[in-house]
Structures are given as C-alpha cells and as structure tokens.
Amino acid sequence: MRKIKILTLIFFSTLLLSSCGEYQKVLNKGTSQEQYKMAVKLYESKKYAKALRLFEKVMPAYRGKPQMERIQFMIAQSNFNEKNYTLSAYYFDRFTKTYPRSSKKEEAAFLSAFSYKLASPRYSLDQTDTNKALLAFQLFINDYPNSPRVEEANKHYKELRYKLEKKVFEVGKNYYRTAVTDFRNYKSAIVTFDNLISDYLGTELKEEALYYRFKAYHDLALVSTERKKEQRLTDAVNAYDKLVRNFPKSKFLKDSDKLLSEIKEEQKKLVKS
C-alpha cells in the first residue's frame, strides 16, 4: 500500500512538472496560435492567473481578428475570478464599448458594475468605486429594463446607496460627538444631517438623523449666549416638531420629550429674566 502511494505521488509530481514545463515553453517560445490555444484551455480549467499571462502575450497578434472579442471577455472574466475587481470593471466596461453588438454585452455591463461594487470599500473609506458602481448599475437598469438581472441590479444599487448614506450619517454623528470640545460642530452636525435627508430622499436613516439633528439643536441652544439663546431654543423646538411630524411613534420619542422639557424650562427662564 505504501509503495502504491509513493508511486502515485511520483506520477502526479512528474505530471505537474511536465505541465509546468510545457506552460513555460509555450509562454516563452510558443507561437501565437499555441499560446492562444493553451490560454483558452487554462481558462476553461479555471487556471485564470496563468491564462491571463498568455492572453496578454497574444493580444497584439489577434488585434482586429474575430478571436479578439472572445479574448477580451476572457481577460475581463479571468480578472474577475482572480478578484482583481478594479481591473475586471475596467475590462468589462471596455468590452461593452469595443463590441456594442456582442451577445455578451449585457453580461459584461452587469459584471462591470458588479466588479466596482466588489471593489467598493467599507463606508468610512474613499467611496470612488461605490459611486462608479452606482452609475454603472443605473446605466445597466436604463439600458436593459427587461433584463432578468434588473432585480439583482436594483438590490446592489440599494446596498451601495445605503453605504453612501451611512458615510454621511456617521460624519454627522462625529460632528455631534466632538461638539463637546468645539461647540461649532453642532452647526456642522445639523448641516450634515440636513444634507443627508435632502440628498437621499427616503433614506432608512432619516428617523435617527432627525433625532440627532434635534439633539444638536438642543445642545447648541443650551450652550449659547443669552443674545442667541432665544432663537436657538425656537429652532430646537422646530427640530423636535419635524422629528415627531415625520415619526409620531419614533423609538426616540421618550428621550426627545425629555429634551423638549429642558428646552421649555430654558424658555421660561428667558421670559422671567
């Protein structure tokens, strides 16, 4: 049994070395036709990294030829499968522009958008790829309204949009948290929450944004000078009214009512003075 295992190991090791040697030989000294044939074989065997090296070698020789359409798509797909998402987004997008009549155009357009989504980082980082993905999915939905992929495209679009909303919301919350040491940040928080609500109509974060907006108005009013306090207390009451008007059964209502009571007390003090 042990002898059989050793012989099997030797056989597969020899086979592996042979295949590696053949790959290097074709890569370095093979004709364009041999390189293309092996690249397709490796692609179909899901050995995408090796296939890419060969496709890159043969591209100049096949430029303008019928095979080039297939090569371009396989390069994009190989990068996608290798998780080189920024590259796959670029190559799929280029494919749609280079081959507008291709039967693969719809698939390439979707995968370009999806690649940008997969390249998109968490909400706290730069969102360039998120914006590219949103634009690409919107264009896909517009160009292929009857595509079976539209439902999935809408789902991805919603997730990406939420990521941008979350980024703005967290910026507003950070302004609010840091206003303890710099009260000017209360105003920045209010502006940020206003922008979130106006720029992203229907956002899932609207209730919480209105709550923090009200808290910022409340806290700003309490630390204001006598000259500015009256107007800012009024602004805080208006912010409370906006929260309750939009969310009469808000989960933040109990705390908001407590803060409103504090505002009313401050208004009474101003009247007495």
Side-chain angles (χ1 to χ4, degrees):
M1 181 62 72
R2 186 183 177 189
K3 187 176 181 181
I4 292 173
K5 287 183 178 179
I6 293 171
L7 289 172
T8 303
L9 181 62
I10 292 171
F11 172 76
F12 282 110
S13 297
T14 304
L15 190 65
L16 179 64
L17 289 170
S18 175
S19 63
C20 288
E22 182 186 1
Y23 170 75
Q24 289 297 332
K25 182 180 177 182
V26 173
L27 177 67
N28 295 320
K29 298 181 180 179
T31 64
S32 297
Q33 188 176 3
E34 290 171 337
Q35 290 171 343
Y36 173 73
K37 186 177 179 181
M38 177 172 277
V40 173
K41 183 179 178 181
L42 289 168
Y43 175 86
E44 291 172 347
S45 300
K46 300 182 179 181
K47 297 176 182 178
Y48 303 111
K50 285 187 173 181
L52 276 169
R53 292 186 66 190
L54 286 166
F55 282 133
E56 288 167 3
K57 291 272 286 188
V58 303
M59 279 182 69
Y62 283 91
R63 189 166 286 115
K65 295 182 179 179
Q67 296 94 328
M68 194 59 178
E69 180 180 338
R70 189 184 182 197
I71 291 171
Q72 291 272 26
F73 190 87
M74 287 189 288
I75 287 174
Q77 188 69 63
S78 294
N79 276 296
F80 181 86
N81 292 333
E82 283 293 297
K83 299 183 179 180
N84 302 325
Y85 297 125
T86 300
L87 281 174
S88 64
Y90 167 77
Y91 281 116
F92 278 126
D93 181 56
R94 192 169 80 171
F95 181 89
T96 64
K97 292 177 171 64
T98 307
Y99 303 101
R101 297 182 181 179
S102 173
S103 60
K104 290 279 191 180
K105 184 186 175 185
E106 179 183 328
E107 184 181 358
F110 179 84
L111 288 173
S112 177
F114 190 40
S115 294
Y116 278 126
K117 184 195 176 188
L118 293 174
S120 171
R122 64 191 304 269
Y123 72 84
S124 59
L125 301 176
D126 179 75
Q127 294 301 303
T128 298
D129 284 327
T130 303
N131 285 309
K132 288 180 179 179
L134 280 167
L135 178 59
F137 275 122
Q138 188 60 68
L139 289 173
F140 178 83
I141 294 164
N142 293 343
D143 291 343
Y144 304 98
N146 300 316
S147 170
R149 295 184 174 94
V150 165
E151 184 177 351
E152 186 180 353
N154 278 315
K155 174 178 169 287
H156 292 313
Y157 187 92
K158 186 177 180 181
E159 290 172 358
L160 289 159
R161 179 184 159 98
Y162 180 79
K163 187 183 287 190
L164 294 184
E165 294 168 12
K166 182 71 171 173
K167 185 179 179 70
V168 177
F169 177 75
E170 291 298 330
V171 169
K173 276 183 70 175
N174 188 59
Y175 276 130
Y176 176 77
R177 284 192 295 263
T178 56
V180 176
T181 56
D182 185 352
F183 73 88
R184 291 173 299 180
N185 284 351
Y186 286 126
K187 287 185 178 180
S188 297
I190 292 164
V191 170
T192 303
F193 291 128
D194 281 339
N195 289 339
L196 170 64
I197 294 164
S198 62
D199 292 345
Y200 299 97
L201 298 176
T203 175
E204 296 174 26
L205 296 166
K206 183 176 181 178
E207 180 181 356
E208 195 169 357
L210 285 172
Y211 168 65
Y212 273 100
R213 177 179 179 269
F214 168 53
K215 280 168 68 76
Y217 269 117
H218 164 276
D219 293 2
L220 177 60
L222 294 188
V223 298
S224 295
T225 61
E226 293 298 315
R227 184 172 61 86
K228 295 181 178 180
K229 182 168 284 190
E230 182 178 2
Q231 181 58 52
R232 287 178 176 175
L233 287 169
T234 301
D235 292 339
V237 173
N238 291 336
Y240 170 86
D241 289 341
K242 186 170 184 176
L243 168 62
V244 176
R245 188 167 60 251
N246 282 274
F247 300 95
K249 296 182 179 179
S250 173
K251 60 185 176 181
F252 303 111
L253 194 57
K254 185 177 180 180
D255 186 54
S256 296
D257 284 343
K258 181 182 175 183
L259 297 176
L260 181 65
S261 296
E262 294 176 5
I263 293 168
K264 296 293 186 183
E265 286 298 318
E266 288 295 318
Q267 287 179 320
K268 288 177 183 178
K269 290 178 185 178
L270 283 178
V271 172
K272 289 178 182 180
S273 63

